[in-house]
Amino acid sequence: MGIREFPGGAPRGKSIAVGMRRSPDVSPRRLSDISPQLRQLKYLVVDEAIKEDLKWSRSVEDLTSGPVGLTSIEERILRITGYYGYQPWAASYKREERPRDSPGPAEAQAPAGAEAGGRTSHRCWRCSRAQLKKIFWGVAVVLCVCSSWAGSTQIAKLTFRKFDAPFTLTWFATNWNFLFFPLYYVGHVCKSSEKQSVKQRYRECCRFFGDNGLTLKVFFTKAAPFGVLWTLTNYLYLHAIKKINTTDVSVLFCCNKAFVFLLSWIVLRDRFMGVRIVAAILAIAGIVMMTYADGFHSHSVIGIALVVGSASMSALYKVLFKLLLGSAKFGEAALFLSILGVFNVLFITCIPIILYFTKVEYWSSFDDIPWGNLCGFSVLLLTFNIVLNFGIAVTYPTLMSVGIVLSVPVNAVVDHYTSKIVFNGVRVIAIIIIGLGFLLLLLPEEWDVWLIKLLTRLKGSQRTKS
């Protein structure tokens, strides 16, 4: 139910003739005349069959050899088009001055192989230690996501036994979103070397909404719709907990990943991936099987429909955020979530009051409200959203998503001992299918290329051993 955040691009319109010197009397018009054609070289694709037939041509090899290859092509074009003052030795010299991955002294100045190998192994040890640190933080984040998500779900189930008001609980928990930006600023003061005042940091984060910052028009056009979607996502999820067990609710909510892919493919024109289509089909099949597991009773059908609606609202939230606002930095995301809390206080407060006086969500006295459960649910939900939005700073995004899947078996164990849930074959298969579809959606776009490289390396290692 958070935003992800989760991309950027290189600036356009700049000259890409990097690493070449010009004499002072050269007119810049000659370079600007051909700069559009030079930029098109970045998007030039060469067929594999053509590359096999034209291996003798260095131009074809340069197209796939990274920035160095593109620079060599640029040098030839500039020489042909009459770029006077061109000095090829200057370009090659600049190319050699570029920073490299491995340290220069270990390659060029080590007199013995032992010294160079020692430095290389030390560097590999540093890299592996950094990766181990990131994996360690990833395990901690996974446990935090899993425990906070499963804990908030179980506390909500307990709360409804004494306090049957899902919308009021949603409103109360959303008010805590106001703490996002203050908590972010505390972290900024503790970690950042260039400390800014609250007002300066606020103004800088407000640039996320445009040149004019956070105006009244921006508030109602870019923040208010997401506030409504946030409230609907949480309310439908909590209302479903009243109808069905928490295991079914948590596993069905995992389908939001499939809905995000389908909406991104349709609305954002994201890349088509066959494996994600298969995952979406598995998610839909799991929903149908979960409905069949309880015999299509009206009570369970309504609960499943509510969870699917919550997952759909969450997916719509994420896709619209990427479409209308793009990607957000940590401070911008914190400010945006705090604005959602302000919107909730100003414009959603009237709805719980109306529900109370119409006795749709009614409680006899304020002393009967389980404030401990309400505050516990709000703290866990706030923790979940904080880790989900800012955990990417310390670990991999995929590991955070795994924490949501792991909350399903945790809820299943709790339901097994606290409720009368029956884990028949259909329900177990549905849980496995939805979980498998969720994991397939976590695969990167280049997963097939990585798989081919892995198989090729395994075959090569087997040949060397034999």
Side-chain angles (χ1 to χ4, degrees):
M1 290 181 286
I3 58 177
R4 301 289 303 279
E5 85 198 289
F6 42 16
R12 298 182 180 178
K14 295 182 179 180
S15 174
I16 59 174
V18 179
M20 292 176 289
R21 298 179 181 177
R22 294 184 301 174
S23 58
D25 57 343
V26 178
S27 173
R29 294 182 180 179
R30 301 302 302 273
L31 183 59
S32 61
D33 291 341
I34 63 171
S35 58
Q37 287 76 13
L38 294 178
R39 285 196 298 269
Q40 291 178 2
L41 292 173
K42 294 184 178 181
Y43 308 101
L44 194 60
V45 179
V46 182
D47 189 76
E48 294 292 333
I50 298 177
K51 285 196 286 186
E52 291 295 329
D53 295 338
L54 300 178
K55 278 187 176 179
W56 54 270
S57 175
R58 187 179 176 184
S59 299
V60 175
E61 294 175 358
D62 289 340
L63 286 173
T64 57
S65 61
V68 176
L70 288 175
T71 305
S72 62
I73 293 178
E74 295 160 16
E75 294 169 5
R76 299 174 191 178
I77 294 177
L78 291 171
R79 186 164 56 245
I80 294 172
T81 53
Y83 183 70
Y84 303 107
Y86 166 72
Q87 300 174 0
W89 59 87
S92 59
Y93 173 76
K94 289 289 184 180
R95 198 179 307 159
E96 292 175 359
E97 285 182 344
R98 293 180 182 177
R100 307 176 70 176
D101 294 335
S102 53
E107 287 183 346
Q109 299 178 5
E115 183 180 354
R119 295 188 182 184
T120 305
S121 62
H122 179 66
R123 181 175 177 83
C124 292
W125 164 248
R126 285 194 302 171
C127 293
S128 61
R129 188 170 59 181
Q131 291 175 353
L132 287 175
K133 183 179 179 180
K134 202 165 187 178
I135 293 174
F136 171 78
W137 277 108
V139 173
V141 167
V142 166
L143 294 177
C144 189
V145 169
C146 177
S147 58
S148 60
W149 186 237
S152 62
T153 303
Q154 293 297 330
I155 290 179
K157 189 76 172 180
L158 293 174
T159 303
F160 293 145
R161 295 177 182 176
K162 303 177 182 178
F163 184 71
D164 189 9
F167 195 92
T168 304
L169 180 58
T170 301
W171 170 82
F172 183 81
T174 307
N175 289 337
W176 290 58
N177 278 15
F178 179 77
L179 297 175
F180 268 99
F181 190 75
L183 291 175
Y184 161 76
Y185 183 74
V186 171
H188 165 73
V189 171
C190 295
K191 300 293 290 184
S192 179
S193 57
E194 298 179 0
K195 296 178 176 57
Q196 297 177 327
S197 64
V198 178
K199 190 174 183 180
Q200 290 174 337
R201 198 63 191 164
Y202 171 78
R203 287 181 176 178
E204 184 174 340
C205 293
C206 280
R207 296 176 184 174
F208 173 66
F209 298 101
D211 297 333
N212 297 326
L214 182 62
T215 61
L216 196 62
K217 179 181 178 182
V218 170
F219 180 81
F220 283 105
T221 56
K222 292 187 177 181
F226 294 100
V228 174
L229 289 175
W230 182 283
T231 302
L232 286 175
T233 300
N234 288 273
Y235 170 69
L236 293 175
Y237 185 87
L238 294 176
H239 196 70
I241 294 176
K242 289 177 53 181
K243 302 290 184 181
I244 56 179
N245 56 76
T246 56
T247 304
D248 294 350
V249 172
S250 58
V251 72
L252 287 171
F253 189 78
C254 291
C255 295
N256 78 317
K257 199 82 173 175
F259 299 156
V260 168
F261 163 68
L262 294 175
L263 286 175
S264 300
W265 181 38
I266 297 171
V267 178
L268 302 178
R269 306 292 183 182
D270 279 2
R271 177 186 173 187
F272 174 82
M273 290 183 63
V275 67
R276 293 185 179 178
I277 288 292
V278 173
I281 294 172
L282 290 176
I284 296 172
I287 294 172
V288 175
M289 293 184 67
M290 191 67 72
T291 309
Y292 178 75
D294 289 330
F296 290 97
H297 297 301
S298 60
H299 205 65
S300 63
V301 170
I302 292 174
I304 292 172
L306 289 171
V307 184
V308 173
S310 175
S312 302
M313 293 297 105
S314 175
L316 185 61
Y317 176 102
K318 295 175 183 178
V319 174
L320 285 181
F321 187 91
K322 191 173 182 180
L323 178 66
L324 300 178
L325 298 174
S327 59
K329 299 177 182 177
F330 292 127
E332 296 166 350
L335 177 62
F336 184 81
L337 292 172
S338 294
I339 291 172
L340 295 187
V342 174
F343 171 81
N344 186 73
V345 173
L346 295 178
F347 298 99
I348 308 296
T349 304
C350 59
I351 299 179
I353 297 175
I354 295 172
L355 295 176
Y356 174 79
F357 285 106
T358 56
K359 296 188 176 182
V360 176
E361 293 186 358
Y362 182 78
W363 53 94
S364 57
S365 65
F366 285 93
D367 295 333
D368 297 333
I369 299 176
W371 292 107
N373 289 353
L374 265 66
C375 292
F377 171 79
S378 302
V379 169
L380 287 176
L381 189 61
L382 179 66
T383 304
F384 171 78
N385 283 292
I386 288 175
V387 176
L388 203 65
N389 283 280
F390 305 124
I392 192 175
V394 294
T395 187
Y396 305 100
T398 304
L399 290 178
M400 296 187 295
S401 300
V402 172
I404 300 176
V405 181
L406 293 180
S407 66
V408 176
V410 173
N411 286 320
V413 172
V414 175
D415 285 345
H416 178 70
Y417 290 102
T418 60
S419 64
K420 299 179 180 179
I421 185 174
V422 178
F423 288 99
N424 52 28
V426 178
R427 175 174 272 111
V428 172
I429 293 174
I431 292 173
I432 294 174
I433 287 177
I434 294 177
L436 180 61
F438 187 91
L439 294 177
L440 287 177
L441 288 167
L442 297 181
L443 291 175
E445 292 186 355
E446 298 83 8
W447 70 274
D448 51 346
V449 178
W450 292 0
L451 181 61
I452 293 173
K453 289 182 178 179
L454 178 62
L455 294 176
T456 304
R457 288 180 180 179
L458 291 176
K459 290 180 179 178
S461 60
Q462 290 177 356
R463 289 176 181 176
T464 54
K465 290 181 180 180
S466 61

